[in-house]
Amino acid sequence: MATESTSNQRFEQVSRVKGQAFEALTFGASVIGILALAMLLVYVAVDAFDLEAASPEWLLTYFLTLVIPYIGFCLYSAGERAVTRRTLLALSVGLLVNAVGVTLIEAAGTEIPRLNWQLMYLFTVVLPVTGYVTVAGTQGRVGAVGFGLLGRLFGGAALGLWVFVLFIVFDTQMWFVVYTFSVLPTVVLVAAGRWRSNQLLSIAGLVAFPVGFFVAVTLRPVISSYPTTFLIYLWTLVLPLSALITLLTAKQHDRKTGGLVGATVALVTLAGSFALAGGTIPGTATLLLMLGVSTLTVTYLHRVLRSGEGLTGLTLPLLLIAGALVGAYLVKLTGVPTPNPWFDLSYVQGTPTTQVLRARQAGFFPPIVGSVIIISMVAVLSFVLGVGTAVFLEEYTSNTGFVGSVSRLLQVNIANLAAVPSVVYGLLGLGLFVNAMGLGFGTAVSASLTLSLLILPITVISAQEAIRSVPSDLRDGSLAMGATRWQTTKNVVLPEAMPGILTGVILALGRAIGETAPLIMIGMADIAFSPPSDIWSRFSAMPMMIFQWANSPSPEFRFGVVAAGVVTLLLILLTMNASAIIIRNKYERGS
Amino acid sequence: MAESTQSESLITTDVQVDTDTETVRAPDTIVETTDLNVFYGEDQAIDDVSMEIPEQQVTAMIGPSGCGKSTFLRSINRMNDQIDSCRVEGSLTFRGKDVYDDDVDPVALRRRIGMVFQEPNPFPKSIYDNVAYGLRVQGKADDVDLDAEVERALRSAALWDEVNDQLDKSGLELSGGQQQRLCIARAIAPDPEVILMDEPASALDPVATSKIEDLIDDLAEEYTVIIVTHNMQQAARISDKTAVFLTGGELVEFDDTQKIFENPADQRVEDYITGKFG
């Protein structure tokens, strides 16, 4: 109690030592994991891109021609003094700290393995700063347009390559007859029925699908000569996609614009793929790559040009390409020693090898194809099974009575299944899919079924959480409108829960793509020299191949080739996650 | 605490009773209950309620919290089926048919009885899709001019003028009062015979509330409205008949609104209306 009522009354201090210690501890705990992973990734990147051999001059050239213009573009787009000041400060102070610090450490006699101060500067300052200015740049209109275009270029390329990989195990000629006799007539009839509001035509369209499918399957072995693959893709993919874009654009704007956009897509696809193929008939990969890129970019360009805002942003891809070319030219001109990266185009396209002396020739193509196909099948299977189970448990079972007990039992079991080690799932796959059902040793079918079972508990639990978080108000509202339970689930619950469901599936797929133990158990090939021809042939997958290489006696394999493999795996995983996140955000914005 | 001063201040002196009872003919009964009992597990929520709700009038249900008026409302369109522990005894007929008969499909029943909830609960879809929802799920969308039906429903809900140029906007972007009118438009779009309203204005501000009340007045020309409310003035203003429930799910009095508010037969009703308890 204060005995004097003067103004300099004093409060006693309350000790916060424990709280502060706890805060520091939690902060440390959250940072440790990220730091460890970041360090690993730095070393993987150094190995995969052979940055150890990069001379300071080489780094400086590209820093000046590529990084500085990029940062400049982002700062211009952000258009904020504070951001610019912070960026410049970080770049200059970071340079000083790295140069002085690392030199001092080295002078003290402790070598930092495979890193010099230039590389340290690259990883500790340049990369984070680039990330920061990228985020700041996307806030501005110019940057939004530029990164939108860049994203669509990459997204289109990824999409095209993905379709290409899927078609490797898909019978192209089968697809040709199915498309011609079944898909096309169905779509034409249903569209005509919609347009003329003629019920009969729509029904005829729906009948045409199975009939045409049957005809196609019967005709497939009978027909002896087929058009070339190029023509098939032109007829079944390029034309319909251009037509679809024409229709969609025409619906939004007018017929002329629609025709213009659709024709541009087709033209850019053809011109681009012929140009890439050097004037000859382009290969499938080139055609699909260009199709993906042109579809996304042309529609985007149309939108941007129409709104007429931030047009300078469209120069971003040109800026980057020009920077890379100028850098390459300068490096060649001055004869600066350049790194010889393990991760390059020939690695991605090449055939694997484990021969000690041929590390430079090692490629990764068959495992990439294997993993992409497996993960595509796993995505479909686990999504259907996971969402189905979750909907059943959340929407269709009651909490009481016999059904209630069964669903509680299921619930407990699913929670426990999530904790079963993956090698046990491998055993299950071996026993059930390979031996009992005879789906074959190491085929894509048995692998994707096994992996789907492995991640099923995770997808089910996250989908359940998402469905449970849909307010019951909405369910009641729908039921009170005279909707059946199925209509309520389909129209209200699932769309509302979809972002959460997708988040869970993305996380689960990330786990599935890196699993090795179950693949070993079901007899996946360690090494495959050519990509699989269909889903029943023996596959190899990326983690299997990386594991195999990591056992090699040659350090070139253990460091260079493995690092390049890890980079590929991470890139594919990131692309996959990014596309899933984009779809999820679309859903969230749509609601 | 001076009991009298508190009740003085709560006495509803400004009650205006809906006096334009132009309906001379005795209206038909649309919903009728006989000895209706509803239980949640062991707890009884509705106790032997018998009443006849007339067609094309506004029937209000008032009473203190937990008196079972919402439960009663939800029994009419069998929304209580959603609650596992809920059990209904006695008879509740809709146009002479007991809705709890085995051959009554609750989904078909709800297509004839619309409902508006306490909290505005528009679907996270566009305004247009919200209003068209009932017609679509009931399979009527192909037989009618959907655009015209949506416009009619929005006009009936006095929302058309505010949203006609933004039908693609999400229903969640509207204000609370607009959302509730959207829910009313959604409920009347499939043209139900009865509209149940569970305290539709309790989550709204006075301006929005008065809009909803005007709306209910208009709706009564076409529809039968059964409304649960906490607000006695509201019941007095908008309803033709009023039912007073008291704690324990007992129906104490059910009569013309004017009579309930001016000359109730039961002392407890008078006490409740004048604010002596509840």
Side-chain angles (χ1 to χ4, degrees), chain A residues 261-585:
Chain A
V261 173
T264 319
V265 168
L267 270 179
V268 169
T269 307
L270 284 179
S273 33
F274 273 103
L276 277 182
T280 55
I281 301 277
T284 331
T286 324
L287 188 70
L288 290 175
L289 180 84
M290 280 312 297
L291 182 63
V293 170
S294 71
T295 312
L296 292 192
T297 46
V298 169
T299 45
Y300 184 68
L301 283 176
H302 166 245
R303 217 166 71 206
V304 171
L305 290 176
R306 216 183 148 76
S307 78
E309 267 181 277
L311 289 182
T312 29
L314 294 179
T315 51
L316 180 63
L318 294 179
L319 190 80
L320 293 179
I321 293 170
L325 287 180
V326 169
Y329 177 72
L330 286 178
V331 163
K332 205 172 179 188
L333 201 69
T334 49
V336 167
T338 57
N340 183 9
W342 292 93
F343 176 79
D344 57 10
L345 205 58
S346 71
Y347 178 79
V348 173
Q349 293 178 331
T351 310
T353 174
T354 46
Q355 291 173 31
V356 173
L357 294 177
R358 297 187 60 222
R360 272 290 162 194
Q361 277 83 49
F364 208 36
F365 187 58
I368 293 177
V369 172
S371 275
V372 169
I373 286 165
I374 290 172
I375 216 66
S376 304
M377 288 168 72
V378 171
V380 175
L381 279 172
S382 66
F383 187 82
V384 172
L385 286 176
V387 174
T389 313
V391 166
F392 172 75
L393 285 177
E394 287 301 312
E395 298 291 316
Y396 282 88
T397 58
S398 64
N399 293 322
T400 52
F402 177 68
V403 186
S405 328
V406 171
S407 85
R408 265 196 299 279
L409 194 70
L410 276 177
Q411 194 84 48
V412 170
N413 276 306
I414 286 169
N416 282 330
L417 281 181
V420 172
S422 57
V423 73
V424 177
Y425 276 101
L427 198 62
L428 171 71
L430 180 68
L432 185 63
F433 300 126
V434 177
N435 290 335
M437 292 170 70
L439 298 176
F441 264 105
T443 58
V445 181
S446 22
S448 44
L449 283 171
T450 310
L451 290 178
S452 302
L453 272 192
L454 170 74
I455 62 169
L456 190 63
I458 312 176
T459 43
V460 170
I461 289 170
S462 59
Q464 268 187 300
E465 287 294 329
I467 290 173
R468 215 174 292 153
S469 70
V470 175
S472 59
D473 274 14
L474 291 181
R475 278 190 199 92
D476 283 355
S478 174
L479 290 173
M481 295 301 300
T484 58
R485 188 137 48 166
W486 158 241
Q487 285 171 327
T488 303
T489 307
K490 182 186 68 153
N491 295 326
V492 176
V493 177
L494 281 184
E496 191 65 2
M498 199 45 81
I501 292 174
L502 282 176
T503 309
V505 173
I506 295 167
L507 289 176
L509 284 182
R511 174 155 180 224
I513 199 175
E515 274 302 341
T516 323
L519 299 186
I520 297 175
M521 294 296 288
I522 62 160
M524 216 64 179
D526 290 332
I527 179 165
F529 296 104
S530 58
S533 51
D534 60 64
I535 52 172
W536 302 102
S537 57
R538 281 195 85 178
F539 267 55
S540 171
M542 287 192 277
M544 290 289 293
M545 192 71 244
I546 293 172
F547 180 62
Q548 188 70 13
W549 277 332
N551 285 329
S552 169
S554 147
E556 281 190 310
F557 273 107
R558 271 183 283 131
F559 295 101
V561 179
V562 163
V566 171
V567 168
T568 321
L569 182 60
L570 286 178
L571 272 181
I572 287 176
L573 188 70
L574 284 181
T575 319
M576 205 172 75
N577 285 1
S579 37
I581 287 169
I582 288 169
I583 296 174
R584 187 187 70 192
N585 290 354

Side-chain angles (χ1 to χ4, degrees), chain B residues 124-136:
Chain B
K125 300 170 183 287
S126 71
I127 294 173
Y128 185 97
D129 289 343
N130 260 291
V131 181
Y133 187 82
L135 290 165
R136 284 185 178 145

